[in-house]
Amino acid sequence: MKQLHLICNAHLDPVWQWDWNEGATAALATFYAACEIAEEYDYIFCHNEALLYEFVETYDPALFERIKGLVKAGKWHIMGGWYVQPDCNIPSGEGFVRQIESGLTYFKEKFGIIPTAAVNFDSFGHTQGLVQILSKCGYGGYICCRPMPAFMDLPANYIDWKGFDGSSVKTARFDDLTIYTNDLGDAVNAVKRKMKPWNDQGEEIAFALWGVGNHGGGASRKDLSELAVFMEEQKTEGVEVFHSTPEAFFAASTPQVEWDAALQPCFVKCYTSIARLKRRYAELENKLLVTEKICSYADAEGLYDYNFEAFDDAQKRMAMVQFHDVLSGTCIIEGEKSSMQKLDYALELLDKEFTKAFMGLCRDYECAVPLKYPIFVYNPNPYAEEAIFTGDFFLLNGICSDTEGYEFSVKRDGEDVPFQIVKESSCINLDRSKRLAIKTTLNPLSMTRFDVEVRRGTKRFLDRSPQTEFTTKQGTKATFDAATGALTSFTVDGKEYLKGGAFTPIVYDDNEDPWGWHMRTVGKNYTPATCEIPLRVIERGDLLTTVESLYTTGKSDIRVAYTLYKDFDYIDVTVNAYWNDPGKGLKLAIPVAEMGKFVGQTAFGIQTFTENLEECSQRFVGIESGDKLLTVFKDGTYGCSLEDGVLYLDLLNGSVYCAHPVGDLPIVDDQRFNRYIDLGRHEFTFRLELCDKAAAERKAAAFTQKPYALNFYPHGTGERHETPAVTLSDGTVSLSCFRKVDPDTYMVRLVNNTEEGRACGCTVFGKTIALDFGKFEVKTLLYKNGALTEQRSMLVL
C-alpha cells in the first residue's frame, strides 16, 4: 500500500516584511493557535527554529508549558532542530555547525529531544558542503523546497545527496505552487496537488507539507475535518494517508537516485544584496573563531576564565543573522538595522573577552623601559609563517617640525626585525601617532612580543616618484597602467596570468529586485568607471609599496589601492566605494590570460562553478592552472562569475529593500522615494595570489583571520607564555576551530579542503595525534584530562 505522510507546519519567518519583534508576536499567536488545535484534534503539529521557542519561553511562559505537554504527548513534534532556517550559501562550514549546535542544544535542554531530520523549507539554494555537516551532526534526512524546478532540474525530487567527502544524506525537495503551506481551509486541494509530482515519479512513499504559514497557525478545524474524510477516501485508492513527521518519512523510504552536486542556483542576487551586512556577518564569524582560540589558550594557561555565557550569546546572535531573509539581503530596512545591532552586540561581547584574554597573556612579561614601546602580537593560526602585520602606538611627545622627526628600531628577543613606517589612521599632521609594518615569523597560535625603540632624528618624507612596475625578490612581476590605474600584468615564473586591466571598477544596469527572480546572471550594459586621478604612490619603503587610483561614475566615487610586497608574491587590494547611483551595480573585472576550471570555496569544500552564470563563493575564488590556482581571497563578498574570460567580483547591486516581481505589475512604485539597499560608504579587501591549490584553504584563513597587534605595557617579572596551544604538521590541513566546550574539554576541528587524502599530526597542549584525512574530510578532536581523541560527531551536546 502506498503511503502519504502529512507534515503539518506553520512556516514562520521571524523577520522579513516585518522586524524581529513582530516576528516574536507572530510566533506567540501561531503557537497559541497550534496548541488550541492540537489539544482538540488528533494530529501532529511540526515546528522547527529554536529561536521561536525561545520567544515563547520568554514572553509567554504559560504557553511554553502547554507546548512541552503536547511534545510529551506526541502531538507536537520538534522538527529540524536548527536555531533558524539560515541562508545555506554564505555561512562558512563552521558557521553552519554553530547554527545547528545552538538549536540542538536548546531543544535537548528544554525538551530532551534531538531531531534527526533537518529542514530548510525556504532557504535559497543549498551548498554541497552541507551534506558532510548534516551527516556528522546526526542527521539522516533533509527537506528543502528551493531551488524550484524552474531554477534547477533534478532527476528526482527524492535523492541520495552526496557530499564532497563521499558522505550522503537522504534529501527530499518538495515542489508545489504554495511550497510548504496552503491557503486557510484549502488543505485537501493543496495535498491532492502536492501528491502529483510524487505519483508522476512513481514513488510508493511520499509526503506533503501543509498548514497556514507566516502569521497563520498551521492547521485549521476545517482543514483537519476535511482531511479526515480525505484519508478514508484514499484507503479505497490503495493509499494510506496519515499525520506524520520528517523522521517517520525518512525511516520508511529510500531514495533511488544519487545527486553529487550543489542544490543551486536560486535567487542569485542574494549573493550580494545588503553588502554591508554580509561584510559585518563575515567579521563576526572570524571574530568568534579568533576569540575562541585566544580565550581557550589563555584559559589553559590559567590567565583567563572562559566565559561560556558570552560565547553562547554571541553565537546565537550570529545564528539569528544567518536567517535566510537577512543574510541573503531580502528583508526590509528595519530588519537590516536590527540585525546589524545584533551583530554589533555580539562583536562587543567578543571584543571584551578577547581583550581580557590578550591582556592576561601579556601581563606577566617583563616591564617595558622608557622610550621602548612593547607591541604584542597574537597569531590565530596554527602555523609559524612569515608575515607582515601592523602595530600602532602613541608617542609620549609629538614633534611639529619641517625637518625633525622620530626614528625607530624594532627588536624581538634583542634582535632587529625589518619594519616600515606607514600611514596611521589619524590625519593630524603631527609626528606622534605611529603605525609600523613589521615583518617576522610569528609563533603559531600564541603570543609574540616586539619592542620599538624610539629616538629623535630626521623627519621622514615619502618618495612620491611615479612607479608602474614592481618585482618581488622571488621574481614575480606586477605592472600597472599609469593612466587607468588598472593592474595590466601579473607574471609568476615568467608566465602571464592576466589579460588586460584587472580590478577595474565596472558599473552595470540593475533592477530593484534583491532576490534576482528569473535571473541567472547579474547585470547588463557593463561600463568601466572613469579614472579621474591616475596611479600615484602613497606608501613606499623597504617592505611594501602602496599605489592608488580614484575613479568616478555618475554620482559615485571609487578608490582602488594596491599594496605590493618585496618579499611576498601576492598583492593586497582595497576598494573604497562612495556609492550614490540608485539602480546601478558595481563589480570588479579581472581578465585572465589562461582558462582552467572556475572554482570557489564553499562550506568545507571547493565547488567547481559554471562559466557565464552567477555563483556564490566564500573566502576565495579562482581559476585553475595545472596544480596552481590564480586566487582572489576575499573577506565578506560572495557573488562572482566568469564571463568571456573575465572574472567578475560583485560588490554592490542596485536593488531596493524587499521588492520582487508580482505578475505584470511594476516591481516598485517609481512615483515615490524608494530606499535603495547599497547606497553609501563601503570598503572591500582582496588578495591576488598564484598558490598551490592545496594551500588555498590555509591561506584564506590567514587572510581573513589576521594577526592582532596591541601596544601593551606589561608589569611582570619576565615569565613568558609563548608555547603554542595547537600546531599542525601538514600545511594543507586547516584549523576550523579551537574552543573550550565544557569545563574540562577543548575542541579542535580540522579541515582537509582538497581532493587528495592527507596525513597530518595535530598537537594540542603537547599531546600529539596522527590523523589520516580523506578527500574534503572534516575531523573533530576533543582534548580532555590530557587525552586527545577523535570523534565522528561535530557536536558536543
Side-chain angles (χ1 to χ4, degrees), residues 223-254:
D223 286 327
L224 286 168
S225 298
E226 292 179 353
L227 281 171
V229 175
F230 173 73
M231 290 176 184
E232 291 299 318
E233 293 173 348
Q234 286 298 301
K235 287 181 182 178
T236 63
E237 301 293 330
V239 181
E240 182 184 10
V241 182
F242 51 91
H243 296 292
S244 188
T245 67
E247 280 83 355
F249 166 75
F250 287 118
S253 60
T254 301

Side-chain angles (χ1 to χ4, degrees), residues 510-683:
D510 200 2
N511 69 11
E512 300 91 344
D513 169 17
W515 281 267
W517 279 80
H518 316 306
M519 286 186 182
R520 197 53 195 93
T521 59
V522 173
K524 57 184 178 180
N525 299 329
Y526 291 2
T527 304
T530 301
C531 184
E532 288 289 317
I533 299 180
L535 201 71
R536 60 187 180 186
V537 175
I538 59 172
E539 298 287 356
R540 178 182 276 138
D542 294 335
L543 299 184
L544 60 88
T545 300
T546 301
V547 297
E548 70 178 6
S549 294
L550 305 185
Y551 300 83
T552 186
T553 175
K555 299 178 182 179
S556 301
D557 297 304
I558 306 157
R559 175 223 186 205
V560 182
Y562 304 84
T563 299
L564 303 104
Y565 304 90
K566 292 190 175 180
D567 295 308
F568 302 110
D569 291 328
Y570 53 74
I571 303 173
D572 285 336
V573 183
T574 300
V575 179
N576 301 94
Y578 302 87
W579 199 244
N580 295 298
D581 285 294
K584 300 287 186 178
L586 178 65
K587 301 173 183 268
L588 294 178
I590 305 175
V592 296
E594 182 180 84
M595 293 300 297
K597 275 187 181 179
F598 174 34
V599 301
Q601 185 201 44
T602 186
F604 294 149
I606 297 178
Q607 193 78 54
T608 299
F609 294 145
T610 303
E611 293 181 38
N612 300 313
L613 299 177
E614 188 75 8
E615 301 285 2
C616 182
S617 64
Q618 294 183 352
R619 295 181 298 177
F620 66 81
V621 63
I623 310 297
E624 289 187 1
S625 177
D627 61 351
K628 300 290 186 179
L629 188 67
L630 180 63
T631 314
V632 178
F633 297 100
K634 49 204 182 74
D635 193 2
T637 59
Y638 300 91
C640 58
S641 61
L642 183 64
E643 305 172 30
D644 301 322
V646 180
L647 174 61
Y648 290 100
L649 308 176
D650 282 13
L651 305 186
L652 305 168
N653 66 34
S655 308
V656 303
Y657 287 93
C658 200
H660 65 63
V662 177
D664 295 327
L665 299 175
I667 296 178
V668 297
D669 178 1
D670 61 4
Q671 299 303 306
R672 63 181 304 152
F673 171 77
N674 291 294
R675 294 183 174 95
Y676 282 80
I677 290 173
D678 283 337
L679 300 185
R681 184 179 62 190
H682 300 267
E683 182 169 294

Side-chain angles (χ1 to χ4, degrees), residues 200-214:
D200 292 345
Q201 294 180 17
E203 297 286 354
E204 293 293 314
I205 300 173
F207 73 97
L209 302 175
W210 73 281
V212 181
N214 270 344

Side-chain angles (χ1 to χ4, degrees), residues 693-709:
K693 288 187 291 186
E697 179 76 15
R698 172 173 57 85
K699 287 179 176 289
F703 177 68
T704 56
Q705 298 180 29
K706 294 180 175 65
Y708 177 81

Side-chain angles (χ1 to χ4, degrees), residues 762-777:
C762 176
T763 300
V764 181
F765 301 131
K767 185 71 174 180
T768 301
I769 186 172
L771 301 168
D772 289 316
F773 287 81
K775 64 176 183 178
F776 296 108
E777 185 177 6

Side-chain angles (χ1 to χ4, degrees), residues 264-399:
Q264 298 282 24
C266 185
F267 301 151
V268 295
K269 281 179 66 178
C270 292
Y271 309 154
T272 305
S273 296
I274 310 190
R276 61 177 55 83
L277 185 139
K278 286 177 167 63
R279 295 196 304 278
R280 189 64 58 84
Y281 170 80
E283 180 183 354
L284 176 56
E285 262 199 355
N286 289 317
K287 184 72 172 181
L288 175 64
L289 299 177
V290 168
T291 305
E292 287 174 342
K293 294 175 192 177
I294 193 171
C295 289
S296 297
Y297 173 44
D299 174 87
E301 293 281 348
L303 301 169
Y304 165 83
D305 293 325
Y306 204 86
N307 189 341
F308 291 101
E309 183 178 352
F311 282 102
D312 180 63
D313 205 0
Q315 182 171 299
K316 284 184 175 179
R317 295 306 183 276
M318 183 179 78
M320 288 178 74
V321 178
Q322 287 178 357
F323 183 69
H324 61 269
D325 279 312
V326 172
L327 196 52
S328 63
T330 57
C331 62
I332 58 175
I333 191 170
E334 291 84 356
E336 178 197 26
K337 179 180 177 180
S338 56
S339 297
M340 290 289 277
Q341 289 174 343
K342 298 179 195 316
L343 293 173
D344 289 342
Y345 169 72
L347 286 165
E348 179 67 20
L349 284 176
L350 294 172
D351 189 64
K352 182 178 180 180
E353 300 308 312
F354 181 96
T355 304
K356 285 193 292 185
F358 189 99
M359 292 186 177
L361 288 166
C362 297
R363 191 168 293 120
D364 289 337
Y365 280 78
E366 184 178 358
C367 289
V369 299
L371 298 181
K372 284 189 178 181
Y373 295 82
I375 294 179
F376 289 84
V377 183
Y378 180 72
N379 176 14
N381 295 297
Y383 307 102
E385 286 190 301
E386 194 174 43
I388 291 179
F389 66 90
T390 57
D392 291 37
F393 55 97
F394 195 69
L395 294 166
L396 184 62
N397 297 299
I399 297 177

